[in-house]
Amino acid sequence: MNGWLQRIWGLLRVLVALGVGWRYGWGWGLMTLALHAAVLMLGFVQLRWVNRPAPGWGQLLRAWSREVVASELAFSWRQPWREWAEPDHLPAGAQTGVLLVHGFACNRGRWNGWMKRLRAQGVAFIAPTLEPAFGSIDAYADEIEAGVRELKAHTGQMPVLCAHSMGGLALRAWWRKHGAAHDVPRVITLGSPHLGTRMAAFGQGRNARQMRLRSAWLAELPGMPDMDSFWTPCDQIVNPAEMAILPGSRAHRLDGVGHMGLVHSPEAWACLQTALASSLSTPRRI
């Protein structure tokens, strides 16, 4: 669903820019396309008053400039047009596996960069598109379970679970429903609103309401025993920034990076590689 919504939105942006350019001049048309970057900038500026200690202006500028590129890549190209450019990969003889879980208003195309690199490494992976797009996060548990079981059957062991944004909450909802049937997995979350976020008040759908600060739904979610939480004080979506740190997890702070940019961070990729190397030393369970 998110894919075709983003295709419609992208086409509307282009049509409006063409109309403005035709009527008022092409410079104004280009400026119309750049409105996205201007609105995005406001999200970073407000972090000076939301987060304590406040990120510096240099960090915010660096994060904003990278986020413009990352968000356009995700919402104007990969998710609307390239959702299945990198299909799930279950190569013969794979010893390790990764389940990749996207966040709110996204789809599996969010992970195209990682999927391409994992394919080159011969690592098995599955990246579901979670539906319904704006339904309850609890509804995603069975789809995650199907992916976990398929990867376990293929590699003989638990996959590494990696999630961006809302996907981290979907993993915790899966653990609540299906965790008793599995060994403890290694989990990596990137900018997940484990304790909620102020920005969820502006979102649509039941899943957005579940992500609000101090929501009853969040309070009932279990933790996960073996988790790395990546967070950034320049997160324009999950704020206050510390809301992305699940108590008891290994917290990793990244500076000068925005919410979407976390998926492009070399630190997060290195953490995944470490987790995969560790899983190779774990005996296979056939």
Side-chain angles (χ1 to χ4, degrees), residues 153-171:
H154 192 78
T155 65
Q157 59 186 343
M158 280 293 291
V160 178
L161 309 181
C162 190
H164 178 245
S165 195
M166 180 197 72
L169 304 183
L171 288 180

Side-chain angles (χ1 to χ4, degrees), residues 201-279:
F202 301 99
Q204 300 297 314
R206 188 173 178 185
N207 45 8
R209 293 192 295 273
Q210 288 171 326
M211 291 187 285
R212 291 177 180 175
L213 287 172
R214 294 178 291 278
S215 78
W217 183 84
L218 278 173
E220 294 173 355
L221 270 188
M224 299 198 75
D226 188 7
M227 176 183 284
D228 292 90
S229 300
F230 281 81
W231 69 283
T232 169
C234 298
D235 195 323
Q236 80 280 13
I237 299 298
V238 178
N239 51 78
E242 64 270 17
M243 300 296 101
I245 304 172
L246 183 67
S249 68
R250 295 175 293 274
H252 306 267
R253 171 176 171 163
L254 300 183
D255 291 315
V257 180
H259 185 71
M260 301 297 284
L262 285 167
V263 173
H264 301 281
S265 65
E267 294 87 352
W269 176 255
C271 184
L272 174 61
Q273 295 303 297
T274 299
L276 288 172
S278 177
S279 69

Side-chain angles (χ1 to χ4, degrees), residues 2 26 47 79 100 127 135 145 180 183 212:
N2 282 323
W26 297 116
L47 297 178
Q79 292 175 176
L100 300 163
E145 172 69 1
D183 296 330
R212 291 177 180 175

Side-chain angles (χ1 to χ4, degrees), residues 10-276:
L11 291 173
L12 283 175
R13 285 181 65 197
V14 171
L15 289 173
V16 169
L18 288 173
V20 171
W22 180 264
R23 179 66 176 83
Y24 299 104
W26 297 116
W28 288 106
L30 289 174
M31 288 182 65
T32 301
L33 283 177
L35 282 175
H36 164 75
V39 172
L40 196 59
M41 180 179 290
L42 297 177
F44 285 95
V45 169
Q46 54 104 21
L47 297 178
R48 286 284 296 176
W49 290 271
V50 172
N51 289 335
R52 290 291 181 270
W57 288 114
Q59 287 185 29
L60 291 172
L61 180 61
R62 186 165 65 253
W64 169 77
S65 62
R66 294 174 176 176
E67 196 74 355
V68 170
V69 176
S71 59
E72 288 288 8
L73 180 63
F75 292 109
S76 297
W77 179 239
R78 284 180 172 172
Q79 292 175 176
W81 306 106
R82 304 285 290 170
E83 180 179 357
W84 292 100
E86 297 289 344
D88 293 342
H89 187 53
L90 297 170
Q95 296 181 295
T96 57
V98 182
L99 187 77
L100 300 163
V101 186
H102 65 78
F104 181 75
C106 294
N107 61 37
R108 68 185 305 281
R110 185 75 191 90
W111 297 103
N112 278 2
W114 281 32
M115 289 191 286
K116 184 176 182 179
R117 296 164 78 178
L118 289 170
R119 188 184 308 278
Q121 292 179 336
V123 175
F125 63 79
I126 291 175
T129 288
L130 303 177
E131 297 286 353
F134 302 106
S136 171
I137 297 173
D138 291 303
Y140 308 142
D142 290 344
E143 192 163 8
I144 291 172
E145 172 69 1
V148 168
R149 287 187 176 276
E150 188 167 3
L151 285 165
K152 280 182 69 175
H154 192 78
T155 65
Q157 59 186 343
M158 280 293 291
V160 178
L161 309 181
C162 190
H164 178 245
S165 195
M166 180 197 72
L169 304 183
L171 288 180
R172 291 169 62 194
W174 160 80
W175 185 246
R176 173 167 60 186
K177 184 174 183 179
H178 296 288
H182 300 287
D183 296 330
V184 173
R186 177 73 177 270
V187 178
I188 302 170
T189 65
L190 313 176
S192 292
H194 290 298
L195 304 179
T197 172
R198 295 168 60 251
M199 304 308 289
F202 301 99
Q204 300 297 314
R206 188 173 178 185
N207 45 8
R209 293 192 295 273
Q210 288 171 326
M211 291 187 285
R212 291 177 180 175
L213 287 172
R214 294 178 291 278
S215 78
W217 183 84
L218 278 173
E220 294 173 355
L221 270 188
M224 299 198 75
D226 188 7
M227 176 183 284
D228 292 90
S229 300
F230 281 81
W231 69 283
T232 169
C234 298
D235 195 323
Q236 80 280 13
I237 299 298
V238 178
N239 51 78
E242 64 270 17
M243 300 296 101
I245 304 172
L246 183 67
S249 68
R250 295 175 293 274
H252 306 267
R253 171 176 171 163
L254 300 183
D255 291 315
V257 180
H259 185 71
M260 301 297 284
L262 285 167
V263 173
H264 301 281
S265 65
E267 294 87 352
W269 176 255
C271 184
L272 174 61
Q273 295 303 297
T274 299
L276 288 172

